Amino acid sequence: DVKVTQSSRYLVKRTGEKVFLECVQDMDHENMFWYRQDPGLGLRLIYFSYDVKMKEKGDIPEGYSVSREKKERFSLILESASTNQTSMYLCASNPSSGRVNEQFFGPGTRLTVL
Amino acid sequence: AQSVAQPEDQVNVAEGNPLTVKCTYSVSGNPYLFWYVQYPNRGLQFLLKYITGDNLVKGSYGFEAEFNKSQTSFHLKKPSALVSDSALYFCAVSQNSGGYQKVTFGTGTKLQVIP
């Protein structure tokens, strides 16, 4: 089974802090994604990566950056956390073969910024 | 641009009754359609997908979905609901965008199965 793990289930940070959310997948997937989930808005894509050191902006990248130094690890960075970044953050991965592939999700990190 | 709509925020159904969770989509080309389920405090789990072929797709936990091109719909169905089916359900649509399949998720429908 594919396993996607996220470093924290719950996180509380203060406004202005630098926050790191880590995601690791164990199935050698090329593609990795970061979403935020908010009630009534569904999932919105923040960034994705299709290879090591490669990244692309999603729909809402402002206030976030990412890092992918190794194939299995994709980090989301909040440079200076703000209260409007309080949300559930979901990491996902899938292979980039020619097939149409579903995404495999981690359990999520619920971030609260005070 | 692609989009997906889930018109119902919540669906209530009695245990043992059939359930339907609605989804409509908009894409410029051929759609790839997905359903995911999210149990409380968990990530999303894949249920089923439509790529091409038979319009009725069967998935996990007894769920199925019907692709209707003329109505641009992909409704999720189950003949007999269980209390354990209570969860948040997301419809998603994608199409190839270069080498990457851009996926757009709906806003989610909360399914409540009443004992």
Side-chain angles (χ1 to χ4, degrees):
Chain A
D1 277 354
V2 176
K3 192 166 185 182
V4 180
T5 57
Q6 295 183 230
S7 50
S8 305
R9 293 300 302 273
Y10 301 93
L11 209 52
V12 180
K13 296 292 182 180
R14 298 205 174 273
T15 301
E17 280 193 80
K18 190 169 186 176
V19 182
F20 292 87
L21 303 182
E22 305 285 341
C23 174
V24 177
Q25 51 94 3
D26 66 358
M27 280 300 291
D28 203 37
H29 286 168
E30 291 80 11
N31 300 323
M32 296 188 74
F33 310 86
W34 275 107
Y35 295 92
R36 63 177 283 176
Q37 180 182 3
D38 300 289
L41 297 177
L43 273 71
R44 292 179 291 167
L45 181 65
I46 304 171
Y47 268 97
F48 71 94
S49 169
Y50 53 89
D51 203 350
V52 175
K53 296 190 184 296
M54 307 302 290
K55 60 186 179 184
E56 293 284 345
K57 293 180 179 179
D59 299 320
I60 52 164
E62 295 79 17
Y64 304 94
S65 62
V66 291
S67 172
R68 193 165 180 201
E69 296 296 319
K70 293 185 177 182
K71 190 174 185 180
E72 67 271 19
R73 188 180 297 270
F74 192 35
S75 302
L76 180 69
I77 304 155
L78 287 65
E79 296 289 341
S80 177
S82 64
T83 55
N84 63 11
Q85 293 179 309
T86 292
S87 187
M88 170 71 94
Y89 289 88
L90 294 169
C91 175
S93 71
N94 70 356
S96 63
S97 67
R99 295 173 52 239
V100 178
N101 298 303
E102 63 271 21
Q103 295 183 12
F104 297 85
F105 283 83
T109 295
R110 188 168 293 280
L111 173 67
T112 302
V113 182
L114 301 175
Chain B
Q2 62 190 35
S3 65
V4 61
Q6 294 182 243
E8 301 154 318
D9 291 336
Q10 181 158 337
V11 170
N12 297 323
V13 63
E15 186 177 23
N17 282 4
L19 69 87
T20 298
V21 183
K22 296 180 180 177
C23 172
T24 58
Y25 66 89
S26 174
V27 296
S28 56
N30 291 323
Y32 306 131
L33 295 155
F34 304 81
W35 276 102
Y36 291 84
V37 60
Q38 185 180 35
Y39 298 102
N41 298 314
R42 303 279 294 276
L44 277 67
Q45 296 177 33
F46 168 74
L47 278 179
L48 50 81
K49 65 184 174 186
Y50 171 83
I51 302 173
T52 187
D54 194 348
N55 289 343
L56 186 64
V57 179
K58 294 188 183 297
S60 306
Y61 312 121
F63 284 94
E64 58 189 27
E66 186 168 12
F67 172 66
N68 187 316
K69 189 173 184 177
S70 63
Q71 297 186 4
T72 61
S73 67
F74 189 57
H75 300 331
L76 181 70
K77 300 182 179 184
K78 188 174 182 181
S80 178
L82 300 173
V83 173
S84 57
D85 293 330
S86 298
L88 189 57
Y89 290 81
F90 288 95
C91 182
V93 64
S94 80
Q95 54 182 160
N96 278 334
S97 177
Y100 161 61
Q101 297 162 8
K102 177 178 169 58
V103 179
T104 300
F105 287 84
T107 53
T109 298
K110 183 178 181 180
L111 174 67
Q112 191 77 32
V113 181
I114 303 161

